[in-house]
Amino acid sequence: EVTCIASCGDFDAWRRAAGETARVLAFGSGAVNQFRNATFGRWVDGPDGFVPAAATLLHNLKLDPWVMHAVLTTQQPPRLALYRSPIVAPCDGDTLCRSTQASAGDPSSSFASEGERFAGIARGLSGAYYDPAQSGTGLWIDVGRNGETFMTLMTYAARGDGGADPVFYTLGGPIRLQTAGIFGIPAVGSPLYESRDGQRIGGAWRAPTTRIAIELGDAKVVLLSRNAVRLEVAGGAYQMIALRPDRATADVPRGRWLLTLRDQLEYDPGATRPDGEPFARIESLTAQVEVVAEPIAPAFEVDGTATLRPQAGAQTYAVRCSESCGDFDQWRGGHGVGLWVDRDGRAVLSQTAYQLSVGTFVPATARQYALTLHDDTIDGLGGRLATPSGGRTINRGVLRMHRNPPQAFCDSDTYCE
């Protein structure tokens, strides 16, 4: 039985939506199956034992020592994930509750409002952002747990003599999901409120003059990750990264991590599947890796694919396995593994290749994952495969990296310290 011990408000509401007596249970099947070996869901007592609650969805799980994701049965993003020992979790109030217990979240059912779907994005997003290529303009973001935002844009406005005066704009509103390919990307759209002629430092208080800057149109802030946003305003764009007082964002990946990765390779929507072929093929691994600085060459061939490559000035790394390497080596299939952080904050983990004449580079066939960087965890999502794998062209894979884990499962049933 799955019982809640902290941050239980939305969990209990989700459980009771299936009936006051409903219980959350997980069953191990005991069968060896590449797609699933456990079931998670809401159940009620029946005449012959537990039965699924009416009008509820059961989640088929593939067990993993560190993270478990629901196996997809439709062409949708993962609906449920359980992470072992999270560092922090949001409580029902404004504080953080610290727990070493496993937590579960189901974004399709658990949240009381549209905004709370983005509570995970909101944590860690608040702070200052700037565009390294256009320094001097900055954005300050505050985000509530319900997905409401308040932002201040600090920039300059033109004067009649050709100069520019400092000015700040405020904007905000709820986080909404916009569609981009097979993924949804959260964004905020808002008018710009211009404020001028307020109180000066050391002077008497006076209210500023505030107006809507109609001539600039609405602004849009696209939340690319917890440390990278794109500000689109007045026909221009700023690729902004978090302003970190301790270290550069590009330095975050360096060090030792526990990597758990689960690829779910699918056919394109509308594609004809061979008879007897399952909807998805699952590949997974757990390994301890070291992320160390190493050059990755830019593209030296025109391949016509959407494969991502490091931009000029990117910080590049090699990802090398140090413990529990059996499934890691099988997954990379003779490729190397690299990671880079572009100047605009975009981070990617990718398979790499090597040629004596160019060194390490990203081939057109690389399997790649868009990353979200945090100090102690890195999350990643796979995308379209440049080279189909057994006819499958989409990878809805997920990965998570935990910094310096105290222990990790090896390839057998023992622990590696």
Side-chain angles (χ1 to χ4, degrees):
E1 182 167 9
V2 181
T3 57
C4 184
I5 63 169
S7 186
C8 299
D10 45 11
F11 180 89
D12 288 341
W14 171 74
R15 177 183 58 80
R16 288 196 300 269
E20 285 297 325
T21 62
R23 300 165 70 176
V24 182
L25 303 173
F27 292 95
S29 68
V32 177
N33 187 302
Q34 65 168 324
F35 300 111
R36 62 180 179 86
N37 48 22
T39 302
F40 178 102
R42 291 169 288 183
W43 305 72
V44 294
D45 284 318
D48 299 315
F50 291 116
V51 295
T56 63
L57 180 70
L58 298 182
H59 302 271
N60 292 321
L61 297 179
K62 184 65 176 178
L63 302 182
D64 183 278
W66 201 262
V67 56
M68 292 183 287
H69 287 277
V71 175
L72 308 187
T73 54
T74 59
Q75 294 168 353
Q76 299 291 334
R79 298 171 61 86
L80 176 139
L82 295 93
Y83 294 99
R84 188 179 300 280
S85 300
I87 297 168
V88 294
C91 279
D92 297 309
D94 295 328
T95 59
L96 292 173
C97 49
R98 299 179 181 272
S99 170
T100 58
Q101 304 298 318
S103 64
D106 184 345
S108 67
S109 305
S110 298
F111 298 109
S113 68
E114 175 75 10
E116 287 210 18
R117 293 177 58 196
F118 307 109
I121 299 170
R123 295 194 306 278
L125 182 64
S126 296
Y129 292 77
Y130 78 108
D131 185 344
Q134 304 181 76
S135 185
T137 293
L139 184 69
W140 187 274
I141 302 177
D142 280 302
V143 187
R145 282 192 70 247
N146 63 351
E148 290 289 334
T149 65
F150 178 82
M151 293 176 260
T152 303
L153 173 61
M154 295 153 281
T155 186
Y156 299 86
R159 294 197 308 258
D161 60 3
D165 290 325
V167 65
F168 71 86
Y169 301 91
T170 54
L171 62 155
I175 298 173
R176 300 294 188 198
L177 206 60
Q178 64 177 17
T179 302
I182 63 172
F183 297 119
I185 299 178
V188 178
S190 168
L192 290 171
Y193 296 86
E194 178 187 289
S195 297
R196 289 177 178 266
D197 301 322
Q199 181 182 17
R200 299 178 181 178
I201 294 178
W205 180 86
R206 64 178 182 183
T209 301
T210 301
R211 70 179 186 92
I212 297 178
I214 300 176
E215 69 280 6
L216 298 178
D218 285 357
K220 182 165 73 171
V221 178
V222 182
L223 309 178
L224 302 175
S225 71
R226 293 188 197 174
N227 46 41
V229 303
R230 183 174 68 249
L231 170 65
E232 301 172 0
V233 60
Y238 297 84
Q239 296 287 346
M240 294 185 161
I241 61 174
L243 180 63
R244 304 176 66 95
D246 55 346
R247 56 180 160 167
T249 298
D251 289 333
V252 170
R254 193 188 311 268
R256 179 178 297 174
W257 300 82
L258 171 68
L259 167 66
T260 58
L261 182 147
R262 174 189 175 82
D263 280 349
Q264 181 154 307
L265 309 177
E266 305 175 4
Y267 288 93
D268 227 349
T272 301
R273 276 198 324 246
D275 291 340
E277 276 292 300
F279 167 73
R281 187 176 79 238
I282 306 298
E283 299 176 7
S284 60
L285 67 90
T286 302
Q288 184 170 281
V289 298
E290 296 277 353
V291 180
V292 298
E294 180 177 282
I296 299 178
F300 69 96
E301 58 185 356
V302 178
D303 52 46
T305 71
T307 305
L308 301 174
R309 269 72 180 235
Q311 299 173 356
Q315 176 66 59
T316 59
Y317 298 94
V319 180
R320 298 171 180 163
C321 185
S322 58
E323 296 285 349
S324 185
C325 300
D327 45 12
F328 179 87
D329 290 339
Q330 182 179 9
W331 168 82
R332 66 186 180 88
H335 287 85
V337 182
L339 187 155
W340 68 85
V341 184
D342 289 324
R343 293 185 63 183
D344 62 7
R346 181 183 67 172
V348 178
L349 184 141
S350 174
Q351 293 175 333
T352 60
Y354 181 85
Q355 284 189 8
L356 188 61
S357 58
V358 295
T360 301
F361 68 98
V362 179
T365 57
R367 201 176 293 185
Q368 300 188 312
Y369 308 82
L371 302 180
T372 300
L373 305 180
H374 319 291
D375 284 331
D376 295 302
T377 59
I378 296 176
D379 295 302
L381 289 173
R384 185 168 293 277
L385 299 175
T387 300
S389 175
R392 296 173 173 85
T393 58
I394 294 176
N395 177 19
R396 297 186 194 272
V398 290
L399 69 84
R400 169 160 278 213
M401 298 167 67
H402 288 263
R403 187 182 298 279
N404 293 331
Q407 58 186 11
F409 272 106
C410 282
D411 295 310
S412 64
D413 294 330
T414 61
Y415 284 98
C416 48
E417 299 295 332

